[in-house]
Amino acid sequence: MKLLVIGSGGREHALAWKLAQSERIKRVYVAPGNGGTGTESKCENLPVPGTIGSVEGQQALCTFARQQGIALTVVGPEAPLTAGIVDRFRAEGLAIIGPDKNAARLEGSKVFSKSFMEKYGVSTAQSRSFAEYTQALAYAAEHFKQTDQPLVIKADGLAGGKGVIIAQQYAEAAITLAAFMKEGSLGAAGKAVVLEAFLVGREVSVLAAVSVVPGKPGRILPFIAARDHKRRFEGDQGPNTGGMGAIAPVPDFSEAAAEHFRRFILEPSLRGMEQEGMDYRGFLFFGLMVQDTFCSLLEYNVRLGDPETQALVPLMDFDLTQLCDAILTGTLQDFSFRWKAGAVCAPVAVATGYPGSYQTGYPISLDQERFSQTGALLFIAGAEKKQNPEEDSGLYTAGGRVLGVSAWGKDPEDAWERAYRGMGAISFEGMAFRTDIGCGPPHL
Ligand code: AMP
Ligand code: GLY
């Protein structure tokens, strides 16, 4: 079997690695891939004309899949999904994992996803949606007259992580609303907004396999919980990033909280998807805020999380290609996950300056022998492979988030220890990482 994975980050490296482990798989093409996916066993990078979200790029991928007899395509990021890549592939009879364009609105439009949550009674923060700037401004003014709680402002469309602002005061809310709705700082994505109550708690990511097709009972099978660490600096300080590291499972996500999630988030979401007649055969990410045993849904993402996937993949004691089959054939009820015992700690190394401006093009040195002793996996996010390199690894930095180390351990402390010993075997100019992913250093 030949597979196609679409995307170029650490998530796609982890997915390609895991899919390639299956004995059924001969080749995994990664489009466009990165310096890690290009050299992974059984994997090969595939250049894409334009971008993977563009019509040109999607058409090229579709043609490639048809001509090469690709048995299955797995889509990593949201942009191709919201642009309708699944519809395009299915129209040509090609098997692809992901929601169709209509169902992808669960991530592509916050106004749509909030109204969906409310319609089907999904536990979530109270909110109002606005397409008129003056009305949104009036609502924000009223909010700050009545309470000193922050107001969460969410741009409707995809904004690459820049669409959510937690306004502490009215002035900040007014500036944000003007930028999003009047000045068009986010383009079409900011023309409408959701204004939402601020929630406190700890964030948890529950990723899941979904098989919902119109006219049949659907199924959502949740993975074990994971946690991203979004802030750039230790102690959850500093600006938001694409993720500075992840862990799985999450020790503070109790069985009672998981039960609350299933009853008040997962089940009503499934009912809603069925009743809306959605075609959703893919992965779904529930972004939760958890306080004690009470879960609220912050967002749906219509894909796997990055870097959560890098923390989950080493715990998967099952064939991911078979899970994909079960999603597509509607047989998730017969699929049972097997998760390895123990824990994974997966810190990410970034370029100094990230998430602001940073330099690229530095050689990455890797002490393979020291790294191997940790048993960890190296997943590349933003690095490319060069011919005739100065360093043995052949890798050069090419992005803000450069790489991640995913270490399995018998418990969170063991995983932490192995992950950071792994990090210690890698270096590049300006390399930076948080040391408190998961349990933090044992001496703290
Ligand atoms: P979202 O894209 O909706 O997940 O929002 C991005 C981030 O903003 C989340 O991961 C949270 O850290 C934060 N956030 C979103 N909504 C809320 C909320 N209602 N209360 C507190 N923090 C929030
Ligand atoms: N880790 C958050 C995301 O994938 O959007």
Side-chain angles (χ1 to χ4, degrees), residues 9 106 110 132 163 169 179 202 205 210 258 286 348 386 433-434:
L106 286 172
K110 296 240 189 244
E132 288 289 333
Q169 297 134 7
R202 299 197 72 181
S205 308
V210 179
F286 297 90
V348 170
K386 282 199 186 160
F433 53 86
R434 280 177 58 167

Side-chain angles (χ1 to χ4, degrees), residues 179-194:
F180 284 8
M181 302 183 85
K182 265 187 23 181
E183 293 146 26
S185 63
L186 301 175
K191 289 293 169 219
V193 295
V194 172

Side-chain angles (χ1 to χ4, degrees), residues 57-261:
Q58 298 197 5
Q59 195 49 56
L61 290 168
C62 214
T63 305
F64 176 84
R66 202 171 359 87
Q67 289 175 350
Q68 293 293 318
I70 297 293
L72 175 71
T73 298
V74 182
V75 187
E78 61 279 16
L81 294 168
T82 55
I85 195 166
V86 167
D87 309 60
R88 190 181 286 273
F89 269 59
R90 294 216 176 114
E92 299 210 21
L94 294 164
I96 185 165
I97 293 284
D100 70 2
K101 188 174 180 177
N102 173 50
R105 285 185 301 158
L106 286 172
E107 178 168 0
S109 167
K110 296 240 189 244
V111 171
F112 173 78
S113 72
K114 280 304 283 200
S115 75
F116 175 93
M117 290 176 210
E118 275 153 25
K119 184 169 171 191
Y120 294 102
V122 175
S123 172
T124 188
Q126 183 264 328
S127 75
R128 285 272 306 271
S129 298
F130 296 92
E132 288 289 333
Y133 164 69
T134 47
Q135 288 176 11
L137 198 64
Y139 181 88
E142 194 55 34
H143 169 90
F144 285 102
K145 249 187 238 156
Q146 289 182 5
T147 163
D148 55 5
Q149 288 296 301
L151 181 64
V152 184
I153 302 175
K154 299 186 172 183
D156 178 43
L158 295 181
K162 297 190 169 61
V164 177
I165 301 290
I166 298 174
Q168 304 292 335
Q169 297 134 7
Y170 174 69
E172 198 183 341
I175 290 167
T176 304
L177 290 172
F180 284 8
M181 302 183 85
K182 265 187 23 181
E183 293 146 26
S185 63
L186 301 175
K191 289 293 169 219
V193 295
V194 172
L195 301 185
E196 186 170 286
F198 177 74
L199 298 174
V200 287
R202 299 197 72 181
E203 284 184 56
V204 173
S205 308
V206 181
L207 282 50
V210 179
S211 191
V212 174
V213 285
K216 286 194 199 154
R219 192 114 186 155
I220 302 181
L221 219 54
F223 293 6
I224 53 171
R227 171 172 287 142
D228 187 4
H229 297 62
K230 288 203 175 90
R231 301 295 198 98
R232 168 62 188 83
F233 298 109
E234 271 148 34
D236 292 330
Q237 303 296 311
N240 262 327
T241 70
M244 294 298 297
I247 54 158
V250 180
D252 54 89
F253 188 58
S254 65
E255 187 40 49
E259 181 55 30
H260 186 275
F261 159 72

Side-chain angles (χ1 to χ4, degrees), residues 11 78 107 205 227-230 241-243 285 299 301 303-308 401:
R11 167 183 49 205
E78 61 279 16
E107 178 168 0
S205 308
R227 171 172 287 142
D228 187 4
H229 297 62
K230 288 203 175 90
T241 70
F285 169 129
E299 61 168 346
N301 291 326
R303 51 177 172 79
L304 293 173
D306 187 340
E308 287 89 337
R401 286 196 298 167

